[in-house]
Amino acid sequence: MTTTRRSRLVILLSGSGSNLQALIDAINGGVIEADIAAVISNKPEALGLKRADDAGIKHAVIDNLQFSSRENFDQALCREIQIYKPDLVILAGFMRILTSKFVENFDGRILNIHPSLLPKYPGLHSHQKAIDAGDLNAGATVHFVTSKLDGGPSVLQAEVPIYQDDSAEVLARRVLTKEHQIYPLAVQWFCAGRLSLVDGKTYLDSVVLPKYGLTFTDTTTEK
Ligand code: GRF
């Protein structure tokens, strides 16, 4: 009998952790074959830490305010992550820019979710930027992390409409519901060995993905 090893995940966050919750739920529901080895926050007060605690997942705080430089913080973070020997590092609302050195340590093994249809609106305030630009659609993108901020190769995007009276908060909530669908899906692909980053290109089932990743529909998943 062959048994496939379950992937080990380390999740980094800074805030509410609703994406963490979506991943926990997908693992508990048997959708993702993986275990969350640890959740690490740079903010002691992050609600995501409570979610980890409630789910019986190990968690730690590496507070960036305790470090004199980005490099020192990244080194400490890297050491903490390596304790758990992850197959995949997942940024789930982790509000720190990582140094290239950090990214090199986990090359091809870091995913992020960004609340815009990249390459539009990298960085902060993406919902407000989409509203201000008069865009008809907003969305979210799962992408591999490289040293370019929100600029690594895309895997999967989901769109939502922008309505005329939307505030950034209302739009963010609409986008989040899609995030909770596409992030577990992309993580599932990675853990099943279907998704990879090779020489700067993203492959799903050995096929190179389109430049901005696949577009999610409710049937994107199946295989
Ligand atoms: C999400 O909108 C994600 O796209 C962005 O940060 C937010 C995190 O939300 N990177 P949560 O903490 O997962 O609720």
mmCIF file of all heavy atoms in Angstrom, residues 121-173:
data_model
loop_
_atom_site.group_PDB
_atom_site.id
_atom_site.type_symbol
_atom_site.label_atom_id
_atom_site.label_comp_id
_atom_site.label_asym_id
_atom_site.label_seq_id
_atom_site.Cartn_x
_atom_site.Cartn_y
_atom_site.Cartn_z
ATOM 1 N N TYR A 121 -3.194 47.330 -9.137
ATOM 2 C CA TYR A 121 -3.225 47.719 -7.733
ATOM 3 C C TYR A 121 -2.456 46.827 -6.760
ATOM 4 O O TYR A 121 -3.023 46.277 -5.816
ATOM 5 C CB TYR A 121 -4.682 47.861 -7.266
ATOM 6 C CG TYR A 121 -5.558 48.559 -8.268
ATOM 7 C CD1 TYR A 121 -6.777 48.011 -8.666
ATOM 8 C CD2 TYR A 121 -5.145 49.750 -8.867
ATOM 9 C CE1 TYR A 121 -7.565 48.637 -9.611
ATOM 10 C CE2 TYR A 121 -5.930 50.375 -9.824
ATOM 11 C CZ TYR A 121 -7.140 49.805 -10.191
ATOM 12 O OH TYR A 121 -7.912 50.411 -11.144
ATOM 13 N N PRO A 122 -1.168 46.650 -6.983
ATOM 14 C CA PRO A 122 -0.359 46.005 -5.949
ATOM 15 C C PRO A 122 -0.283 46.938 -4.727
ATOM 16 O O PRO A 122 -0.645 48.113 -4.828
ATOM 17 C CB PRO A 122 1.021 45.862 -6.608
ATOM 18 C CG PRO A 122 1.047 46.913 -7.666
ATOM 19 C CD PRO A 122 -0.370 47.108 -8.124
ATOM 20 N N GLY A 123 0.154 46.408 -3.607
ATOM 21 C CA GLY A 123 0.314 47.252 -2.410
ATOM 22 C C GLY A 123 -1.009 47.479 -1.697
ATOM 23 O O GLY A 123 -1.961 46.730 -1.871
ATOM 24 N N LEU A 124 -1.034 48.548 -0.904
ATOM 25 C CA LEU A 124 -2.190 48.798 -0.018
ATOM 26 C C LEU A 124 -3.346 49.478 -0.750
ATOM 27 O O LEU A 124 -3.172 49.997 -1.855
ATOM 28 C CB LEU A 124 -1.745 49.697 1.150
ATOM 29 C CG LEU A 124 -0.690 49.102 2.092
ATOM 30 C CD1 LEU A 124 -0.241 50.151 3.101
ATOM 31 C CD2 LEU A 124 -1.233 47.866 2.796
ATOM 32 N N HIS A 125 -4.504 49.466 -0.112
ATOM 33 C CA HIS A 125 -5.700 50.219 -0.535
ATOM 34 C C HIS A 125 -6.196 49.823 -1.925
ATOM 35 O O HIS A 125 -6.676 50.672 -2.687
ATOM 36 C CB HIS A 125 -5.425 51.737 -0.489
ATOM 37 C CG HIS A 125 -4.829 52.186 0.806
ATOM 38 N ND1 HIS A 125 -5.462 51.983 2.022
ATOM 39 C CD2 HIS A 125 -3.636 52.776 1.104
ATOM 40 C CE1 HIS A 125 -4.692 52.449 2.997
ATOM 41 N NE2 HIS A 125 -3.578 52.925 2.476
ATOM 42 N N SER A 126 -6.082 48.558 -2.258
ATOM 43 C CA SER A 126 -6.454 48.136 -3.617
ATOM 44 C C SER A 126 -7.944 48.320 -3.895
ATOM 45 O O SER A 126 -8.326 48.650 -5.017
ATOM 46 C CB SER A 126 -6.046 46.677 -3.836
ATOM 47 O OG SER A 126 -6.565 45.879 -2.815
ATOM 48 N N HIS A 127 -8.796 48.138 -2.875
ATOM 49 C CA HIS A 127 -10.242 48.277 -3.129
ATOM 50 C C HIS A 127 -10.582 49.723 -3.460
ATOM 51 O O HIS A 127 -11.308 49.996 -4.414
ATOM 52 C CB HIS A 127 -11.053 47.819 -1.911
ATOM 53 C CG HIS A 127 -10.715 46.429 -1.473
ATOM 54 N ND1 HIS A 127 -9.919 46.176 -0.385
ATOM 55 C CD2 HIS A 127 -11.042 45.224 -1.995
ATOM 56 C CE1 HIS A 127 -9.773 44.867 -0.248
ATOM 57 N NE2 HIS A 127 -10.444 44.265 -1.214
ATOM 58 N N GLN A 128 -10.033 50.644 -2.663
ATOM 59 C CA GLN A 128 -10.307 52.063 -2.914
ATOM 60 C C GLN A 128 -9.765 52.478 -4.281
ATOM 61 O O GLN A 128 -10.404 53.245 -5.007
ATOM 62 C CB GLN A 128 -9.665 52.918 -1.801
ATOM 63 C CG GLN A 128 -10.128 54.366 -1.813
ATOM 64 C CD GLN A 128 -11.640 54.504 -1.637
ATOM 65 O OE1 GLN A 128 -12.198 53.981 -0.688
ATOM 66 N NE2 GLN A 128 -12.303 55.181 -2.579
ATOM 67 N N LYS A 129 -8.610 51.945 -4.631
ATOM 68 C CA LYS A 129 -8.018 52.301 -5.937
ATOM 69 C C LYS A 129 -8.923 51.837 -7.071
ATOM 70 O O LYS A 129 -9.107 52.544 -8.061
ATOM 71 C CB LYS A 129 -6.628 51.675 -6.084
ATOM 72 C CG LYS A 129 -5.577 52.370 -5.227
ATOM 73 C CD LYS A 129 -4.251 51.639 -5.341
ATOM 74 C CE LYS A 129 -3.218 52.186 -4.389
ATOM 75 N NZ LYS A 129 -2.092 51.275 -4.187
ATOM 76 N N ALA A 130 -9.495 50.637 -6.934
ATOM 77 C CA ALA A 130 -10.374 50.114 -7.998
ATOM 78 C C ALA A 130 -11.632 50.969 -8.094
ATOM 79 O O ALA A 130 -12.104 51.286 -9.200
ATOM 80 C CB ALA A 130 -10.732 48.655 -7.701
ATOM 81 N N ILE A 131 -12.174 51.388 -6.943
ATOM 82 C CA ILE A 131 -13.373 52.252 -6.937
ATOM 83 C C ILE A 131 -13.029 53.608 -7.568
ATOM 84 O O ILE A 131 -13.733 54.094 -8.447
ATOM 85 C CB ILE A 131 -13.902 52.432 -5.492
ATOM 86 C CG1 ILE A 131 -14.482 51.108 -4.991
ATOM 87 C CG2 ILE A 131 -14.948 53.538 -5.432
ATOM 88 C CD1 ILE A 131 -14.828 51.098 -3.504
ATOM 89 N N ASP A 132 -11.919 54.188 -7.133
ATOM 90 C CA ASP A 132 -11.523 55.509 -7.641
ATOM 91 C C ASP A 132 -11.276 55.498 -9.146
ATOM 92 O O ASP A 132 -11.498 56.493 -9.831
ATOM 93 C CB ASP A 132 -10.259 56.013 -6.933
ATOM 94 C CG ASP A 132 -10.521 56.332 -5.468
ATOM 95 O OD1 ASP A 132 -11.710 56.397 -5.080
ATOM 96 O OD2 ASP A 132 -9.539 56.480 -4.711
ATOM 97 N N ALA A 133 -10.817 54.360 -9.637
ATOM 98 C CA ALA A 133 -10.526 54.266 -11.079
ATOM 99 C C ALA A 133 -11.800 54.062 -11.894
ATOM 100 O O ALA A 133 -11.760 54.074 -13.128
ATOM 101 C CB ALA A 133 -9.557 53.120 -11.332
ATOM 102 N N GLY A 134 -12.937 53.860 -11.216
ATOM 103 C CA GLY A 134 -14.188 53.621 -11.943
ATOM 104 C C GLY A 134 -14.259 52.231 -12.546
ATOM 105 O O GLY A 134 -15.030 51.989 -13.488
ATOM 106 N N ASP A 135 -13.487 51.303 -12.008
ATOM 107 C CA ASP A 135 -13.512 49.931 -12.538
ATOM 108 C C ASP A 135 -14.880 49.289 -12.319
ATOM 109 O O ASP A 135 -15.556 49.587 -11.321
ATOM 110 C CB ASP A 135 -12.455 49.059 -11.828
ATOM 111 C CG ASP A 135 -11.038 49.454 -12.190
ATOM 112 O OD1 ASP A 135 -10.865 50.353 -13.040
ATOM 113 O OD2 ASP A 135 -10.104 48.866 -11.608
ATOM 114 N N LEU A 136 -15.253 48.413 -13.214
ATOM 115 C CA LEU A 136 -16.530 47.714 -13.073
ATOM 116 C C LEU A 136 -16.375 46.432 -12.267
ATOM 117 O O LEU A 136 -17.333 45.891 -11.736
ATOM 118 C CB LEU A 136 -17.111 47.379 -14.460
ATOM 119 C CG LEU A 136 -17.403 48.600 -15.331
ATOM 120 C CD1 LEU A 136 -17.919 48.170 -16.707
ATOM 121 C CD2 LEU A 136 -18.431 49.514 -14.638
ATOM 122 N N ASN A 137 -15.116 45.932 -12.222
ATOM 123 C CA ASN A 137 -14.833 44.689 -11.499
ATOM 124 C C ASN A 137 -13.631 44.861 -10.586
ATOM 125 O O ASN A 137 -12.719 45.619 -10.894
ATOM 126 C CB ASN A 137 -14.482 43.561 -12.474
ATOM 127 C CG ASN A 137 -15.669 43.166 -13.302
ATOM 128 O OD1 ASN A 137 -16.725 42.835 -12.762
ATOM 129 N ND2 ASN A 137 -15.514 43.228 -14.599
ATOM 130 N N ALA A 138 -13.684 44.114 -9.494
ATOM 131 C CA ALA A 138 -12.502 43.988 -8.640
ATOM 132 C C ALA A 138 -12.284 42.493 -8.458
ATOM 133 O O ALA A 138 -12.914 41.687 -9.142
ATOM 134 C CB ALA A 138 -12.741 44.681 -7.308
ATOM 135 N N GLY A 139 -11.401 42.135 -7.539
ATOM 136 C CA GLY A 139 -11.210 40.698 -7.339
ATOM 137 C C GLY A 139 -9.997 40.413 -6.493
ATOM 138 O O GLY A 139 -9.493 41.284 -5.772
ATOM 139 N N ALA A 140 -9.568 39.179 -6.582
ATOM 140 C CA ALA A 140 -8.417 38.734 -5.792
ATOM 141 C C ALA A 140 -7.560 37.820 -6.656
ATOM 142 O O ALA A 140 -8.063 37.187 -7.603
ATOM 143 C CB ALA A 140 -8.884 37.989 -4.549
ATOM 144 N N THR A 141 -6.285 37.770 -6.300
ATOM 145 C CA THR A 141 -5.335 36.949 -7.048
ATOM 146 C C THR A 141 -4.492 36.116 -6.089
ATOM 147 O O THR A 141 -3.923 36.662 -5.138
ATOM 148 C CB THR A 141 -4.357 37.843 -7.857
ATOM 149 O OG1 THR A 141 -5.105 38.746 -8.673
ATOM 150 C CG2 THR A 141 -3.430 37.013 -8.731
ATOM 151 N N VAL A 142 -4.396 34.824 -6.345
ATOM 152 C CA VAL A 142 -3.412 33.984 -5.647
ATOM 153 C C VAL A 142 -2.173 33.928 -6.534
ATOM 154 O O VAL A 142 -2.283 33.671 -7.740
ATOM 155 C CB VAL A 142 -3.939 32.549 -5.428
ATOM 156 C CG1 VAL A 142 -2.857 31.693 -4.755
ATOM 157 C CG2 VAL A 142 -5.208 32.555 -4.596
ATOM 158 N N HIS A 143 -1.025 34.190 -5.934
ATOM 159 C CA HIS A 143 0.202 34.173 -6.746
ATOM 160 C C HIS A 143 1.376 33.627 -5.934
ATOM 161 O O HIS A 143 1.352 33.652 -4.693
ATOM 162 C CB HIS A 143 0.517 35.582 -7.264
ATOM 163 C CG HIS A 143 0.854 36.581 -6.189
ATOM 164 N ND1 HIS A 143 2.143 36.860 -5.802
ATOM 165 C CD2 HIS A 143 0.064 37.337 -5.396
ATOM 166 C CE1 HIS A 143 2.130 37.765 -4.838
ATOM 167 N NE2 HIS A 143 0.883 38.069 -4.563
ATOM 168 N N PHE A 144 2.355 33.136 -6.641
ATOM 169 C CA PHE A 144 3.612 32.763 -5.995
ATOM 170 C C PHE A 144 4.344 34.038 -5.598
ATOM 171 O O PHE A 144 4.244 35.060 -6.286
ATOM 172 C CB PHE A 144 4.492 31.940 -6.943
ATOM 173 C CG PHE A 144 4.100 30.489 -7.005
ATOM 174 C CD1 PHE A 144 3.367 30.005 -8.084
ATOM 175 C CD2 PHE A 144 4.459 29.605 -5.999
ATOM 176 C CE1 PHE A 144 2.999 28.660 -8.142
ATOM 177 C CE2 PHE A 144 4.095 28.263 -6.046
ATOM 178 C CZ PHE A 144 3.373 27.791 -7.122
ATOM 179 N N VAL A 145 5.084 33.950 -4.523
ATOM 180 C CA VAL A 145 5.790 35.125 -4.031
ATOM 181 C C VAL A 145 7.220 35.132 -4.556
ATOM 182 O O VAL A 145 7.934 34.125 -4.457
ATOM 183 C CB VAL A 145 5.790 35.141 -2.481
ATOM 184 C CG1 VAL A 145 6.668 36.263 -1.941
ATOM 185 C CG2 VAL A 145 4.359 35.290 -1.976
ATOM 186 N N THR A 146 7.578 36.279 -5.120
ATOM 187 C CA THR A 146 8.974 36.534 -5.480
ATOM 188 C C THR A 146 9.359 37.816 -4.747
ATOM 189 O O THR A 146 8.538 38.378 -4.009
ATOM 190 C CB THR A 146 9.127 36.741 -7.002
ATOM 191 O OG1 THR A 146 8.368 37.900 -7.363
ATOM 192 C CG2 THR A 146 8.650 35.533 -7.784
ATOM 193 N N SER A 147 10.567 38.301 -5.002
ATOM 194 C CA SER A 147 10.980 39.494 -4.251
ATOM 195 C C SER A 147 10.249 40.750 -4.741
ATOM 196 O O SER A 147 10.341 41.796 -4.113
ATOM 197 C CB SER A 147 12.485 39.673 -4.326
ATOM 198 O OG SER A 147 12.885 39.593 -5.638
ATOM 199 N N LYS A 148 9.501 40.660 -5.833
ATOM 200 C CA LYS A 148 8.763 41.836 -6.308
ATOM 201 C C LYS A 148 7.406 41.899 -5.594
ATOM 202 O O LYS A 148 6.621 40.945 -5.679
ATOM 203 C CB LYS A 148 8.566 41.705 -7.823
ATOM 204 C CG LYS A 148 7.996 42.923 -8.452
ATOM 205 C CD LYS A 148 8.044 42.833 -9.975
ATOM 206 C CE LYS A 148 7.242 43.976 -10.548
ATOM 207 N NZ LYS A 148 6.540 43.617 -11.771
ATOM 208 N N LEU A 149 7.120 43.005 -4.933
ATOM 209 C CA LEU A 149 5.906 43.115 -4.125
ATOM 210 C C LEU A 149 4.649 42.838 -4.958
ATOM 211 O O LEU A 149 4.401 43.513 -5.964
ATOM 212 C CB LEU A 149 5.802 44.523 -3.516
ATOM 213 C CG LEU A 149 4.513 44.807 -2.730
ATOM 214 C CD1 LEU A 149 4.445 43.950 -1.475
ATOM 215 C CD2 LEU A 149 4.402 46.286 -2.383
ATOM 216 N N ASP A 150 3.886 41.849 -4.535
ATOM 217 C CA ASP A 150 2.650 41.450 -5.225
ATOM 218 C C ASP A 150 2.895 41.227 -6.717
ATOM 219 O O ASP A 150 1.984 41.413 -7.536
ATOM 220 C CB ASP A 150 1.532 42.495 -5.015
ATOM 221 C CG ASP A 150 1.180 42.651 -3.545
ATOM 222 O OD1 ASP A 150 1.240 41.654 -2.801
ATOM 223 O OD2 ASP A 150 0.846 43.785 -3.141
ATOM 224 N N GLY A 151 4.115 40.822 -7.044
ATOM 225 C CA GLY A 151 4.474 40.740 -8.471
ATOM 226 C C GLY A 151 4.866 39.357 -8.946
ATOM 227 O O GLY A 151 5.258 39.188 -10.103
ATOM 228 N N GLY A 152 4.773 38.339 -8.084
ATOM 229 C CA GLY A 152 5.150 36.987 -8.515
ATOM 230 C C GLY A 152 4.101 36.401 -9.449
ATOM 231 O O GLY A 152 2.986 36.923 -9.551
ATOM 232 N N PRO A 153 4.455 35.325 -10.146
ATOM 233 C CA PRO A 153 3.548 34.732 -11.124
ATOM 234 C C PRO A 153 2.193 34.332 -10.528
ATOM 235 O O PRO A 153 2.115 33.697 -9.491
ATOM 236 C CB PRO A 153 4.321 33.496 -11.594
ATOM 237 C CG PRO A 153 5.738 33.803 -11.311
ATOM 238 C CD PRO A 153 5.746 34.650 -10.084
ATOM 239 N N SER A 154 1.148 34.719 -11.247
ATOM 240 C CA SER A 154 -0.219 34.475 -10.764
ATOM 241 C C SER A 154 -0.644 33.040 -11.006
ATOM 242 O O SER A 154 -0.227 32.396 -11.977
ATOM 243 C CB SER A 154 -1.196 35.396 -11.489
ATOM 244 O OG SER A 154 -0.945 36.722 -11.113
ATOM 245 N N VAL A 155 -1.534 32.577 -10.133
ATOM 246 C CA VAL A 155 -2.076 31.221 -10.228
ATOM 247 C C VAL A 155 -3.565 31.268 -10.572
ATOM 248 O O VAL A 155 -4.028 30.620 -11.518
ATOM 249 C CB VAL A 155 -1.895 30.473 -8.882
ATOM 250 C CG1 VAL A 155 -2.565 29.109 -8.928
ATOM 251 C CG2 VAL A 155 -0.420 30.356 -8.526
ATOM 252 N N LEU A 156 -4.301 32.058 -9.817
ATOM 253 C CA LEU A 156 -5.758 32.018 -9.913
ATOM 254 C C LEU A 156 -6.334 33.374 -9.514
ATOM 255 O O LEU A 156 -5.913 33.958 -8.516
ATOM 256 C CB LEU A 156 -6.252 30.924 -8.950
ATOM 257 C CG LEU A 156 -7.711 30.547 -8.895
ATOM 258 C CD1 LEU A 156 -8.230 30.129 -10.269
ATOM 259 C CD2 LEU A 156 -7.906 29.393 -7.901
ATOM 260 N N GLN A 157 -7.298 33.832 -10.325
ATOM 261 C CA GLN A 157 -7.972 35.095 -10.011
ATOM 262 C C GLN A 157 -9.475 34.883 -9.942
ATOM 263 O O GLN A 157 -10.013 34.055 -10.683
ATOM 264 C CB GLN A 157 -7.724 36.137 -11.112
ATOM 265 C CG GLN A 157 -6.276 36.535 -11.253
ATOM 266 C CD GLN A 157 -6.086 37.795 -12.074
ATOM 267 O OE1 GLN A 157 -6.677 37.915 -13.144
ATOM 268 N NE2 GLN A 157 -5.263 38.715 -11.583
ATOM 269 N N ALA A 158 -10.133 35.631 -9.077
ATOM 270 C CA ALA A 158 -11.596 35.616 -9.047
ATOM 271 C C ALA A 158 -12.086 37.056 -9.110
ATOM 272 O O ALA A 158 -11.490 37.941 -8.493
ATOM 273 C CB ALA A 158 -12.092 34.964 -7.765
ATOM 274 N N GLU A 159 -13.148 37.261 -9.851
ATOM 275 C CA GLU A 159 -13.684 38.612 -10.022
ATOM 276 C C GLU A 159 -14.983 38.785 -9.252
ATOM 277 O O GLU A 159 -15.740 37.829 -9.085
ATOM 278 C CB GLU A 159 -14.019 38.850 -11.504
ATOM 279 C CG GLU A 159 -12.804 39.056 -12.356
ATOM 280 C CD GLU A 159 -13.194 39.469 -13.769
ATOM 281 O OE1 GLU A 159 -14.348 39.880 -14.002
ATOM 282 O OE2 GLU A 159 -12.317 39.344 -14.641
ATOM 283 N N VAL A 160 -15.229 40.006 -8.843
ATOM 284 C CA VAL A 160 -16.552 40.379 -8.322
ATOM 285 C C VAL A 160 -16.923 41.712 -8.965
ATOM 286 O O VAL A 160 -16.042 42.478 -9.358
ATOM 287 C CB VAL A 160 -16.562 40.547 -6.778
ATOM 288 C CG1 VAL A 160 -16.190 39.262 -6.066
ATOM 289 C CG2 VAL A 160 -15.654 41.683 -6.337
ATOM 290 N N PRO A 161 -18.231 42.000 -9.052
ATOM 291 C CA PRO A 161 -18.623 43.311 -9.589
ATOM 292 C C PRO A 161 -18.371 44.420 -8.564
ATOM 293 O O PRO A 161 -18.369 44.169 -7.361
ATOM 294 C CB PRO A 161 -20.137 43.149 -9.831
ATOM 295 C CG PRO A 161 -20.573 42.032 -8.951
ATOM 296 C CD PRO A 161 -19.377 41.132 -8.742
ATOM 297 N N ILE A 162 -18.159 45.637 -9.080
ATOM 298 C CA ILE A 162 -18.156 46.822 -8.206
ATOM 299 C C ILE A 162 -19.468 47.562 -8.485
ATOM 300 O O ILE A 162 -19.781 47.849 -9.647
ATOM 301 C CB ILE A 162 -16.973 47.752 -8.514
ATOM 302 C CG1 ILE A 162 -15.638 47.019 -8.306
ATOM 303 C CG2 ILE A 162 -17.026 49.000 -7.642
ATOM 304 C CD1 ILE A 162 -14.407 47.865 -8.604
ATOM 305 N N TYR A 163 -20.230 47.837 -7.443
ATOM 306 C CA TYR A 163 -21.481 48.569 -7.610
ATOM 307 C C TYR A 163 -21.259 50.037 -7.294
ATOM 308 O O TYR A 163 -20.324 50.402 -6.560
ATOM 309 C CB TYR A 163 -22.571 47.969 -6.709
ATOM 310 C CG TYR A 163 -22.867 46.526 -7.062
ATOM 311 C CD1 TYR A 163 -22.633 45.502 -6.145
ATOM 312 C CD2 TYR A 163 -23.342 46.191 -8.329
ATOM 313 C CE1 TYR A 163 -22.893 44.176 -6.471
ATOM 314 C CE2 TYR A 163 -23.597 44.858 -8.663
ATOM 315 C CZ TYR A 163 -23.373 43.863 -7.737
ATOM 316 O OH TYR A 163 -23.607 42.557 -8.057
ATOM 317 N N GLN A 164 -22.180 50.858 -7.839
ATOM 318 C CA GLN A 164 -21.959 52.302 -7.803
ATOM 319 C C GLN A 164 -21.768 52.884 -6.405
ATOM 320 O O GLN A 164 -20.943 53.763 -6.220
ATOM 321 C CB GLN A 164 -23.134 52.986 -8.478
ATOM 322 C CG GLN A 164 -22.643 53.966 -9.512
ATOM 323 C CD GLN A 164 -23.795 54.491 -10.346
ATOM 324 O OE1 GLN A 164 -24.960 54.410 -9.957
ATOM 325 N NE2 GLN A 164 -23.445 55.047 -11.481
ATOM 326 N N ASP A 165 -22.518 52.364 -5.451
ATOM 327 C CA ASP A 165 -22.420 52.963 -4.117
ATOM 328 C C ASP A 165 -21.478 52.186 -3.190
ATOM 329 O O ASP A 165 -21.501 52.353 -1.982
ATOM 330 C CB ASP A 165 -23.822 53.047 -3.488
ATOM 331 C CG ASP A 165 -24.510 51.687 -3.500
ATOM 332 O OD1 ASP A 165 -23.937 50.742 -4.099
ATOM 333 O OD2 ASP A 165 -25.597 51.549 -2.910
ATOM 334 N N ASP A 166 -20.613 51.351 -3.756
ATOM 335 C CA ASP A 166 -19.701 50.561 -2.922
ATOM 336 C C ASP A 166 -18.720 51.441 -2.156
ATOM 337 O O ASP A 166 -18.113 52.346 -2.731
ATOM 338 C CB ASP A 166 -18.854 49.614 -3.793
ATOM 339 C CG ASP A 166 -19.533 48.288 -4.025
ATOM 340 O OD1 ASP A 166 -20.550 47.994 -3.351
ATOM 341 O OD2 ASP A 166 -19.053 47.538 -4.896
ATOM 342 N N SER A 167 -18.540 51.143 -0.886
ATOM 343 C CA SER A 167 -17.402 51.688 -0.143
ATOM 344 C C SER A 167 -16.293 50.643 -0.228
ATOM 345 O O SER A 167 -16.543 49.478 -0.597
ATOM 346 C CB SER A 167 -17.779 51.917 1.320
ATOM 347 O OG SER A 167 -18.083 50.663 1.910
ATOM 348 N N ALA A 168 -15.084 51.049 0.148
ATOM 349 C CA ALA A 168 -13.963 50.094 0.133
ATOM 350 C C ALA A 168 -14.266 48.917 1.062
ATOM 351 O O ALA A 168 -13.935 47.767 0.744
ATOM 352 C CB ALA A 168 -12.680 50.800 0.548
ATOM 353 N N GLU A 169 -14.930 49.192 2.197
ATOM 354 C CA GLU A 169 -15.226 48.117 3.167
ATOM 355 C C GLU A 169 -16.203 47.108 2.590
ATOM 356 O O GLU A 169 -16.024 45.895 2.740
ATOM 357 C CB GLU A 169 -15.833 48.692 4.470
ATOM 358 C CG GLU A 169 -14.876 49.523 5.307
ATOM 359 C CD GLU A 169 -14.515 50.869 4.672
ATOM 360 O OE1 GLU A 169 -15.350 51.443 3.922
ATOM 361 O OE2 GLU A 169 -13.377 51.333 4.884
ATOM 362 N N VAL A 170 -17.242 47.618 1.947
ATOM 363 C CA VAL A 170 -18.256 46.721 1.368
ATOM 364 C C VAL A 170 -17.617 45.884 0.263
ATOM 365 O O VAL A 170 -17.814 44.663 0.178
ATOM 366 C CB VAL A 170 -19.451 47.554 0.827
ATOM 367 C CG1 VAL A 170 -20.354 46.711 -0.057
ATOM 368 C CG2 VAL A 170 -20.237 48.144 1.991
ATOM 369 N N LEU A 171 -16.832 46.539 -0.565
ATOM 370 C CA LEU A 171 -16.168 45.813 -1.655
ATOM 371 C C LEU A 171 -15.192 44.772 -1.093
ATOM 372 O O LEU A 171 -15.125 43.637 -1.573
ATOM 373 C CB LEU A 171 -15.430 46.809 -2.562
ATOM 374 C CG LEU A 171 -14.662 46.195 -3.720
ATOM 375 C CD1 LEU A 171 -15.571 45.351 -4.625
ATOM 376 C CD2 LEU A 171 -13.980 47.299 -4.547
ATOM 377 N N ALA A 172 -14.471 45.151 -0.046
ATOM 378 C CA ALA A 172 -13.501 44.211 0.551
ATOM 379 C C ALA A 172 -14.208 42.947 1.025
ATOM 380 O O ALA A 172 -13.706 41.832 0.842
ATOM 381 C CB ALA A 172 -12.768 44.873 1.715
ATOM 382 N N ARG A 173 -15.396 43.114 1.598
ATOM 383 C CA ARG A 173 -16.139 41.933 2.080
ATOM 384 C C ARG A 173 -16.553 41.042 0.918
ATOM 385 O O ARG A 173 -16.486 39.816 0.991
ATOM 386 C CB ARG A 173 -17.380 42.369 2.872
ATOM 387 C CG ARG A 173 -17.062 42.706 4.324
ATOM 388 C CD ARG A 173 -18.309 42.647 5.189
ATOM 389 N NE ARG A 173 -19.268 43.690 4.851
ATOM 390 C CZ ARG A 173 -19.191 44.957 5.306
ATOM 391 N NH1 ARG A 173 -18.225 45.297 6.121
ATOM 392 N NH2 ARG A 173 -20.096 45.851 4.954
#
